[in-house]
Amino acid sequence: MKPSVNLLSPDNHALVLIDFEGQMAFATSSIALSELRNNVAIVAGASKIFNVPTVVTTVAEESFSGPVFPEVEEFYPMATSGYVDRTSMNTWEDEAAYKAITGKNKKKIVLAGLWTGVCIVGPALSAIEEGYQVYVITDACGDVSKEAHERAVQRMIQAGAIPVTSIQYLLELQRDWAREETYVPVTNLMKKHGGSYGLGIHYAHNMLKH
């Protein structure tokens, strides 16, 4: 009856959302941007629903890369969320970002962002080397080609990172549908951003009325 220590729960990890900005998205081709945006919304929404300690970091936000995705801004507004803007490609090498992440005092770190082969590989390998258990939400990441994304994911897995997906992340936090306090927010999030699964929830909830 005891769940694995390798499972994610709302209080055992920190989430880091890295460089979900227009300039990074324009060259992303490993995943359709419509799908990426939905997956990012699921991840950001999940972390907000479950009060996961979350860091949002950008790179050259005002001078080059532009604002974060609306799907991030919806759940973590810039005005109140303390975004960390960097010049370094590797978030782990930026002092303010490093302190923000490690200051959450969680030994599990979950990463998602653009691009997989640069902005995710850097902190993933660096955190693993410092003894953190790293999870990467692979379908909430993207790169300039499928090859670049896949090789980056492969490289991180070989170093010990654990791949997960956006819906898997959400459902692993919910874990039990008897958790009524988060049931409605979770199913509402999926109805909006969960594709065919969300449509199925919408169908079921309406048909049950009959």
Side-chain angles (χ1 to χ4, degrees), residues 15-21 40 44 47-48 52-59 61 67-69 71-73 75-78 80-86 91 96-97 100-101 104 112:
L15 173 69
V16 189
L17 302 176
I18 301 174
D19 304 350
F20 285 115
E21 301 169 272
V40 171
S47 68
K48 197 68 173 181
V52 173
T54 299
V55 176
V56 179
T57 182
T58 58
V59 62
E61 184 262 332
V68 299
F69 287 14
E71 291 77 14
V72 174
E73 175 83 20
F75 297 103
Y76 293 98
M78 176 179 278
T80 58
S81 300
Y83 294 1
V84 180
D85 193 50
R86 321 176 320 278
T91 297
I101 298 166
K104 301 299 184 186

